[in-house]
Amino acid sequence: MGWEMAEPLLEVKNLKKYFPLRKGFLQGRGASVRAVDGISFFVKEGGSFGLVGESGSGKTTVARAILRLTEPTEGEVLLEGKDICQFSDLEIKEMRRNMQMIFQDPHSSLNPRKTVSQSISEPLIIHEGMKGRRLRERVRELLEIVGLKREHMFRYPHELSGGQKQRVGIARALSLHPKLLILDEPTSALDVSVQAQMLNFLESLQKRMNLTYLFISHNLAVIRYICDKLGVMYLGKIIEMGVAESIFSSPKHPYTKALVSAIPLAQAEQPERMILLEGDIPSATHIPSGCRFHTRCPEKIGAICEEVEPPTHYFSDGNQVDCYLYQ
């Protein structure tokens, strides 16, 4: 299905997730961690949307809020036009057939006391009541889809390599024929050579099964390889969003420019092009006023960046950026 013609499968509107802090000496009344602070994006059916940013920017919290593994503070999450934030427990159980997550650490996502067969069987037993020969055949079929052999059924997680564990996690996620896969840093815990194999596998799997991906990573090279559109997150906000190749070839926000400049090139000598940002990402409990990036921005204009949050500027190609450089 073409990206331009497809309808949004997932649409996120003004999503917020705040974590209240316990009262203490350093916290005032009502203090909270603003992990996700009002973001909006959509993923078209059959497409791939990437969320990128430093650790602490809120990417994983977005994924967990979409799946309602943590309850959103505010906003809407529309799956095929239905707001899942309003779903009952029974409706959530049914919804999770269509939305599955691949976790960052393939080892901790598997129960060490269960064999591969038992881990993959669990959602089939819970959601479809499968058992006996039909269940065993479905597990073998799933293992074949992800490139594992029949003998892997009876192995435990400690008997598998990192790449094999991640494939087991993918097989488990595919067991209920989901429409959307949320992949949270699915290659970061793997060796570099295995990462390349996994990315090729995920790309071919998407085409074969017409899957829709929400891909979360801090590695822009990975996002560039697999995603059609991307959103750049900083301190709980999407500060630049648009067509992936357009953003990589001509980034607009100073933060995006710094991230893109850090991507290593496939050549022996790297050009002197890296933009070094000073300081660390601020705490989500004390988000800077105005533009939340102004404390580290090498292109800060002046007081307006420190005092007033920048509006969104839209470009003719559909890309958007929150920055005063374009007002």
Side-chain angles (χ1 to χ4, degrees):
M1 185 177 292
W3 171 263
E4 294 83 2
M5 299 177 63
E7 293 296 324
L9 177 70
L10 174 71
E11 189 169 5
V12 175
K13 297 182 178 180
N14 194 35
L15 183 67
K16 297 181 181 180
K17 178 58 186 177
Y18 298 168
F19 295 96
L21 294 175
R22 293 180 180 178
K23 291 183 180 180
F25 179 73
L26 297 177
Q27 284 86 39
R29 184 182 296 273
S32 61
V33 177
R34 291 154 63 185
V36 180
D37 201 16
I39 70 168
S40 300
F41 65 91
F42 63 87
V43 191
K44 289 193 174 182
E45 188 172 355
S48 301
F49 185 92
L51 276 180
V52 300
E54 293 172 282
S55 296
S57 59
K59 306 184 300 297
T60 297
T61 305
V62 171
R64 295 180 65 85
I66 288 172
L67 285 170
R68 285 188 63 181
L69 296 177
T70 181
E71 289 296 324
T73 303
E74 191 177 313
E76 297 177 88
V77 178
L78 305 177
L79 180 66
E80 297 182 312
K82 298 178 181 179
D83 185 7
I84 66 175
C85 294
Q86 307 300 323
F87 279 11
S88 65
D89 291 344
L90 186 61
E91 289 173 318
I92 290 173
K93 180 180 177 181
E94 185 63 26
M95 171 272 295
R96 287 186 175 144
R97 298 170 63 92
N98 292 320
M99 299 171 69
Q100 291 289 313
M101 188 167 179
I102 309 298
F103 296 93
Q104 179 176 354
D105 185 352
H107 183 74
S108 62
S109 67
L110 297 175
N111 188 330
R113 297 186 178 185
K114 289 187 176 182
T115 64
V116 167
S117 178
Q118 290 171 328
S119 292
I120 298 175
S121 297
E122 192 168 15
L124 294 168
I125 295 170
I126 293 173
H127 288 273
E128 298 189 3
M130 276 194 189
K131 56 185 178 180
R133 181 177 178 181
R134 182 171 167 233
L135 178 62
R136 291 192 296 273
E137 289 178 351
R138 178 60 178 155
V139 171
R140 283 197 292 267
E141 178 186 349
L142 288 164
L143 288 175
E144 184 178 342
I145 289 173
V146 300
L148 294 178
K149 299 178 180 178
R150 181 175 179 175
E151 55 263 29
H152 289 109
M153 290 178 61
F154 309 105
R155 295 184 184 177
Y156 288 88
H158 71 273
E159 300 177 291
L160 305 174
S161 67
Q164 289 172 336
K165 292 173 192 174
Q166 196 62 288
R167 287 174 186 263
V168 172
I170 294 171
R172 181 175 58 186
L174 293 176
S175 62
L176 300 175
H177 304 286
K179 296 179 180 178
L180 174 71
L181 274 187
I182 299 178
L183 302 108
D184 185 11
E185 302 272 13
T187 62
S188 64
L190 306 178
D191 293 337
V192 175
S193 60
V194 182
Q195 286 184 23
Q197 295 173 12
M198 184 59 63
L199 289 175
N200 288 332
F201 166 69
L202 289 171
E203 186 181 39
S204 63
L205 185 69
Q206 181 182 30
K207 292 176 180 177
R208 189 180 1 154
M209 304 186 71
N210 193 34
L211 293 168
T212 304
Y213 286 168
L214 173 58
F215 205 103
I216 295 169
S217 180
H218 66 273
N219 188 331
L220 269 75
V222 169
I223 292 291
R224 186 173 195 172
Y225 181 81
I226 208 154
C227 294
D228 307 303
K229 280 187 80 174
L230 71 86
V232 180
M233 286 194 71
Y234 187 80
L235 270 183
K237 280 273 192 182
I238 292 180
I239 56 176
E240 184 167 358
M241 181 165 62
V243 176
E245 199 52 47
S246 173
I247 290 178
F248 282 112
S249 61
S250 180
K252 299 296 191 295
H253 198 282
Y255 179 62
T256 311
K257 292 177 185 177
L259 293 179
V260 172
S261 76
I263 301 175
L265 300 177
Q267 57 191 52
E269 294 186 8
Q270 300 294 312
E272 295 291 334
R273 62 189 184 93
M274 185 178 294
I275 301 172
L276 297 177
L277 298 177
E278 296 183 357
D280 297 321
I281 186 170
S283 169
T285 58
H286 298 92
I287 292 177
S289 59
C291 173
R292 55 193 64 202
F293 184 61
H294 82 259
T295 58
R296 305 171 70 196
C297 183
E299 300 183 53
K300 185 172 65 174
I301 295 174
I304 190 170
C305 293
E306 300 177 8
E307 297 170 0
V308 184
E309 188 168 351
T312 302
H313 180 82
Y314 297 91
F315 296 90
S316 58
D317 58 3
N319 290 8
Q320 63 187 66
V321 64
D322 294 1
C323 184
Y324 279 114
L325 291 173
Y326 305 95
Q327 301 305 316

